[in-house]
Amino acid sequence: MQAPDAGAGPASFLTPLGAAYYVRSRSLDVAHYQALIDRGWRRSGTLLYKPDVRRACCPHYTIRLPAAAFKPTRDQRQAVNRWNKFILGESYMNEAKKLHPKTKEEKAKQRNGFNLCHVIHEAEDSNVKRPPEPAHRFEVTLEPDNFTEEKFQLFSNYQQAVHHEEAREVTRAGFARFLCDSPLQRCTMEGTSTRLGSFHQCYRLDGRLIAIAVLDLVPRAVSGVYFIYHSDFEKYSLGKISALREAALAEELGLQFYYMGYYIHNCKKMRYKGDYQPQYVLDPESYEWNKLDDELRKLLDEKKYVSLWRQRQNKDAKVPDNGGDTPMPEASSDGDFDGKHLDSPLLATAAVDDGLSLMELGMPGVLKVDELLESISLDKIKIGIPSAGIVASMEDLVTWDQGTITNKSSLKGHIAEMAACIGPDVAKEMIVQLS
């Protein structure tokens, strides 16, 4: 056993919960969270979760946009231009044309087309040329994700106006837990001044807080967590503006991608994410990225669950397509269980509750037993013992060898399932804290 070494670099503390595709974290390295996102994980406050894409009634697919390749649509461009016009006002715009004529360089840029990183900041107060005075003062700041009463009041308005919650249902504790509590460790990206971690991007109009984008900045991406706005400004499509602003932020910070969370194809309210192109969808089994093009959309229309990698595997193995889903392979002749007969979410949940390991269930993206043993030494996984102030390896524990890998009632089975869900890269470096 050894005491934690504060100088050994960042550590991620993870606590397994329930069926193991939920874990709680009080401290998570941003690079580890990047790796988890790329395996289909997301967070809500300090709770990390990985959906069972195959069995969900509304499959959640991780989606991301290459920031530098983003081309806003006409509708998206109009939303920004309409907002800028509201901020500046027609009187200002007419007078400013006379007092501040565009330079040759500015005119050339304008002729070359829509420049998102320029237009998105055009009406911000620090960029407005004076005189004259604009109609409004608009400011956007990237701030720590701390709780304030001002932020809570905005959240309360949004939840009641947009999600139709009762006022008594919207609590300060709930807001703090959902949008202010984050396990991500703030740091500065090596060799740059770029801050990483969880932040609130706050929109203020004439000093009034009117919108907040909750963002996670990780080593290769801006990841959108949630966006709220005041109902007074509903007609201005602030949701579209925030998506454009976050894509621009990724490009400005030198980050490759903008993650918009989960894409739910069979939910009309969530399909809008596919309008920001080019989008790529994470294959839930191989973790390859596939472009969300017409071909993939057609498959998502026809099938409840889609894995292009699985389809290729089945085609090579000449497994028949059942017409409504991407079939899993048949159970092998040596009796290995792949969970095919538990396609029902209720049956699968009941089986997991009764002790079936997710490695046996056939949950997409979860390592099977042989894959797990090939990729990581479970004995070397670290466990934190806060009461003693030490970190030990699993093999140091007296009870470690008293269970099997697939027996979830044992410590070994519990940790093995967690590692299979999280993946080898993070599992090798995490510190487990049991609740």
Side-chain angles (χ1 to χ4, degrees):
M1 297 184 182
Q2 61 181 18
D5 182 358
S12 294
F13 293 83
L14 301 173
T15 300
L17 299 173
Y21 44 85
Y22 291 91
V23 298
R24 183 81 64 185
S25 177
R26 67 172 179 82
S27 181
L28 185 63
D29 177 44
V30 288
H32 289 166
Y33 187 52
Q34 172 82 69
L36 290 173
I37 293 175
D38 290 338
R39 293 182 69 88
W41 289 76
R42 297 290 292 175
R43 77 170 184 90
S44 175
T46 60
L47 183 70
L48 309 176
Y49 57 98
K50 176 180 172 63
D52 185 340
V53 182
R54 177 172 172 75
R55 295 174 181 85
C57 61
C58 300
H60 292 47
Y61 297 93
T62 298
I63 193 169
R64 77 180 184 188
L65 172 73
F70 175 44
K71 302 296 183 186
T73 63
R74 180 182 179 185
D75 181 59
Q76 292 160 1
R77 297 194 302 269
Q78 287 176 338
V80 179
N81 290 331
R82 185 167 59 248
W83 176 252
N84 287 350
K85 185 176 180 180
F86 164 69
I87 296 298
L88 298 174
E90 287 194 22
S91 176
Y92 170 88
M93 294 172 71
N94 291 332
E95 190 67 21
K97 285 180 183 178
K98 303 173 186 176
L99 295 176
H100 310 288
K102 293 185 183 297
T103 64
K104 289 183 179 180
E105 291 79 8
E106 289 172 331
K107 290 179 180 178
K109 285 182 180 180
Q110 196 171 36
R111 285 195 298 270
N112 288 335
F114 184 86
N115 184 320
L116 175 60
C117 290
H118 170 73
V119 176
I120 203 71
H121 298 296
E122 193 172 35
E124 291 176 20
D125 195 61
S126 59
N127 294 326
V128 173
K129 295 178 180 179
R130 291 177 169 85
E133 286 297 315
H136 300 282
R137 188 175 80 257
F138 179 53
E139 299 166 295
V140 180
T141 55
L142 195 64
E143 306 175 6
D145 57 342
N146 299 333
F147 174 94
T148 68
E149 183 64 22
E150 180 186 36
K151 292 177 182 178
F152 169 70
Q153 291 301 329
L154 176 63
F155 174 74
S156 180
N157 170 270
Y158 178 81
Q159 294 300 110
Q160 292 178 65
V162 177
H163 294 292
H164 309 295
E165 293 186 11
E166 298 291 336
R168 58 182 172 78
E169 297 177 305
V170 186
T171 66
R172 289 167 177 79
F175 167 64
R177 184 171 56 250
F178 180 34
L179 298 179
C180 300
D181 293 346
S182 169
L184 298 193
Q185 302 160 4
R186 286 205 194 101
C187 62
T188 301
M189 192 157 61
E190 187 175 354
T192 73
S193 59
T194 300
R195 295 177 295 168
L196 302 179
S198 298
F199 297 90
H200 288 165
Q201 190 173 56
C202 297
Y203 298 45
R204 289 185 170 85
L205 185 70
D206 300 325
R208 174 191 177 190
L209 183 65
I210 64 166
I212 301 173
V214 183
L215 304 177
D216 290 334
L217 306 186
V218 292
R220 294 195 297 134
V222 171
S223 176
V225 178
Y226 204 64
F227 181 72
I228 59 177
Y229 58 86
H230 198 281
S231 57
D232 288 352
F233 302 93
E234 186 171 3
K235 69 178 182 179
Y236 288 105
S237 303
L238 290 181
K240 289 180 182 177
I241 292 170
S242 75
L244 297 178
R245 183 172 286 278
E246 289 153 33
L249 178 64
E251 185 172 3
E252 290 163 350
L253 294 179
L255 304 176
Q256 286 179 271
F257 303 106
Y258 169 40
Y259 288 74
M260 298 183 72
Y262 289 126
Y263 176 71
I264 307 176
H265 187 75
N266 59 359
C267 175
K268 289 184 178 180
K269 289 185 178 180
M270 299 298 284
R271 276 199 187 192
Y272 75 90
K273 296 180 182 182
D275 296 336
Y276 297 81
Q277 288 289 331
Q279 286 281 8
Y280 289 79
V281 175
L282 183 68
D283 190 292
E285 298 192 42
S286 67
Y287 298 127
E288 301 166 338
W289 293 94
N290 299 300
K291 189 173 183 180
L292 183 59
D293 54 16
D294 290 342
E295 181 182 354
L296 181 52
R297 289 176 193 268
K298 185 173 184 292
L299 284 172
L300 290 167
D301 283 337
E302 296 171 349
K303 300 174 182 291
K304 177 187 170 187
Y305 165 73
V306 172
S307 164
L308 294 182
W309 177 84
R310 173 62 61 193
Q311 285 198 309
R312 291 193 297 270
Q313 296 293 309
N314 288 339
K315 184 177 180 180
D316 292 343
K318 298 182 180 179
V319 176
D321 191 334
N322 66 8
D325 208 345
T326 301
M328 297 287 281
E330 297 290 346
S332 61
S333 58
D334 60 4
D336 285 348
F337 177 73
D338 68 3
K340 183 180 178 183
H341 66 287
L342 289 177
D343 279 351
S344 161
L346 292 177
L347 289 176
T349 300
V352 170
D353 289 344
D354 287 341
L356 183 70
S357 171
L358 295 180
M359 291 181 285
E360 300 173 295
L361 179 65
M363 177 175 161
V366 174
L367 298 176
K368 293 183 172 62
V369 172
D370 57 343
E371 295 171 331
L372 179 67
L373 294 177
E374 287 175 4
S375 60
I376 186 171
S377 172
L378 295 174
D379 293 346
K380 302 300 181 183
I381 289 179
K382 296 183 284 293
I383 183 168
I385 307 174
S387 59
I390 59 175
V391 172
S393 294
M394 292 296 173
E395 62 186 353
D396 295 327
L397 304 181
V398 174
T399 59
W400 177 244
D401 288 323
Q402 294 179 7
T404 63
I405 288 177
T406 56
N407 178 8
K408 294 203 305 183
S409 63
S410 70
L411 177 61
K412 180 172 285 188
H414 205 41
I415 299 304
E417 185 180 61
M418 182 181 179
C421 291
I422 287 173
D425 292 341
V426 176
K428 289 174 183 177
E429 299 181 9
M430 69 179 176
I431 299 175
V432 177
Q433 288 196 320
L434 299 178
S435 56

